[in-house]
């Protein structure tokens, strides 16, 4: 199991940050880290199914996820097929604006050395993708482009 | 012997010192070395308008600045040596070094200065500047994918005053050619390096063949993969008018560059290897 958390300060009102960070229709296209994304279904309870993949070198890593119905300041999803993972993006107030925090937890197949090595590599890859996604989100919120 | 003699000769700075024939001669062998050793990838030159611009880059690699080397070579392969000349603003230590300093001047490097840069832009050259200077080139490993301009805004005022566009250039890999443990600003200030050598940081670094070293010396770089992305131009007059709030301009330009740098860094699967 690997777990990566990254945060960024957004110099904007919390409400502005929440509008962008918790709406999957807005946040997934902004976050270029998700090289491949598509809404598959919108369910009656407000949840949604999406196909979400990261571009890692020449491979795509991800699968179908269930995005929970919108909450006040959080966007949460978990995998239903493909790479087993869960993630959430949370917005909280900060002195100079808002803090957007993203966490992804991933289960890796493999044991001992292979499992450990996979985890170390994947943590670094995830961290860089999350950072890239957060920076794109921050810029969009702060400058609207 | 002829080449050695030319390399040892004192070369003037700026457009006078830039030697297109020397660049033409060196380009194939240096580019081959950059391709084999750094697996260099440079993209986005189609974003550069056909007018003098100020290239603004993030600075990496300590005393070696490998991504400047790669960018300069890539520029000349794209625009050719007869194209609009590229002049890079460098630290006085670089252009003052024997042999290397002369080679740098033949490639079009000058000692950094706002008046020099303004003159070059007026003469029609493209100018390359690294606002972060030594502070950024010696930033810690953990900040290797961060823009660290240290609040310096002179490049913005230069571009605005000269009415030229800024073309941001972001690069990854340069800071993986050696290892920097800390930022070392307090030690540099304590030893008065900031006043005596215009060096504002003295971090602890690990490089080959020196091993652990306070600061950095020219070293053999780790063969890290270098990726460079040239971004679309930013017209400061169009975006911020004739009397801009410099903090706002600085925030915007560094934000654009940080987004692109983080995006480029996300292409890395394994640090150093690429």
């Amino acid at each position: 199991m690997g777990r990566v958390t990254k945060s960024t300060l957004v110099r904007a009102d919390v409400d502005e940050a929440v509008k962008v960070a918790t709406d999957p229709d807005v946040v997934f296209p902004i976050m270029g880290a998700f090289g491949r994304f598509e809404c598959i279904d919108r369910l009656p309870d407000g949840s949604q199914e999406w196909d979400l993949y990261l571009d890692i070198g020449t491979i795509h890593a991800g699968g179908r996820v269930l995005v929970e119905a919108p909450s006040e300041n959080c966007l949460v999803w978990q995998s239903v097929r493909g790479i087993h993972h869960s993630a959430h993006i949370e917005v909280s107030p900060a002195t100079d604006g808002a803090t957007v925090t993203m966490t992804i937890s991933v289960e890796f197949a493999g044991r001992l050395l292979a499992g450990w090595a996979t985890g170390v590599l994947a943590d670094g890859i995830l961290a860089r993708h999350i950072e890239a996604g957060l920076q794109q989100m921050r810029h969009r919120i702060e400058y609207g482009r | 012997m002829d080449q050695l003699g030319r390399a040892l000769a004192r070369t003037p700075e700026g457009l006078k010192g830039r030697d297109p024939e020397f660049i033409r001669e060196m380009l194939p062998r240096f580019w081959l070395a950059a391709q084999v050793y750094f697996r260099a990838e440079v993209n986005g030159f189609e974003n550069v308008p056909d007018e003098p611009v100020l290239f603004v880059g993030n600075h990496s690699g300590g005393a070696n600045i490998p991504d400047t080397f790669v960018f300069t070579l890539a520029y000349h392969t794209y625009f050719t040596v007869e194209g609009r000349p590229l002049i890079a603003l460098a630290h006085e230590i670089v252009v003052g070094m024997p042999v290397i300093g002369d080679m740098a001047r033949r490639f079009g490097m000058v000692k950094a200065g706002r008046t020099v840069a303004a003159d070059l832009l007026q003469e029609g050259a493209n100018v390359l500047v690294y606002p972060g200077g030594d502070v950024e080139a010696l930033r810690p490993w953990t900040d290797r994918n961060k823009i660290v301009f240290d609040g310096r805004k002179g490049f913005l005022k230069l571009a605005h005053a000269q009415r030229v566009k800024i073309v941001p250039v972001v690069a990854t890999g340069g800071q993986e050619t050696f290892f920097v443990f800390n930022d070392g600003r307090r030690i540099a200030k304590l030893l008065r390096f900031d006043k005596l050598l215009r060096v504002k940081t003295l971090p602890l670094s690990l490089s080959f063949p020196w091993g652990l070293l306070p600061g950095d010396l020219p070293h053999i770089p780790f063969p890290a993969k270098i990726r460079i992305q040239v971004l679309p131009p930013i017209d400061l007059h169009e975006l911020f008018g004739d009397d801009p709030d410099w903090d706002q301009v600085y925030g915007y330009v560094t934000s654009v560059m940080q987004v692109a740098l983080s995006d480029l860094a996300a292409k890395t699967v394994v640090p150093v290897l690429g």
Side-chain angles (χ1 to χ4, degrees), chain A residues 6-87:
Chain A
K6 300 283 258 182
S7 296
T8 192
L9 174 68
V10 179
R11 289 187 174 81
D13 291 341
V14 173
D15 291 346
E16 289 296 309
V18 166
K19 256 190 238 170
V20 173
T22 62
D23 183 347
D25 287 306
V26 178
V27 79
F28 292 153
I30 291 173
M31 295 181 78
F34 296 114
R36 189 175 142 205
F37 55 87
E38 185 184 1
C39 183
I40 302 299
D41 201 4
R42 296 175 195 276
L43 304 172
D45 65 355
S47 61
Q48 302 175 11
E49 280 194 342
W50 284 71
D51 275 349
L52 272 189
Y53 294 86
L54 299 178
D55 285 342
I56 298 172
T58 55
I59 64 164
H60 290 181
R64 186 153 300 174
V65 301
L66 179 69
V67 181
E68 292 181 6
S71 76
E72 195 178 322
N73 65 339
C74 217
L75 179 69
V76 179
W77 71 87
Q78 53 195 332
S79 59
V80 292
R81 75 180 195 208
I83 290 179
H84 294 171
H85 75 280
S86 62

Side-chain angles (χ1 to χ4, degrees), chain A residues 121 128-129 132 135 138-139 143, chain B residues 251-252 255 259 265-266 268-269:
Chain A
L121 281 179
R128 287 186 286 277
H129 276 85
Q135 289 301 330
R138 176 194 57 72
H139 187 77
Y143 297 99
Chain B
Y252 178 74
S255 177
V259 169
T268 300
V269 178

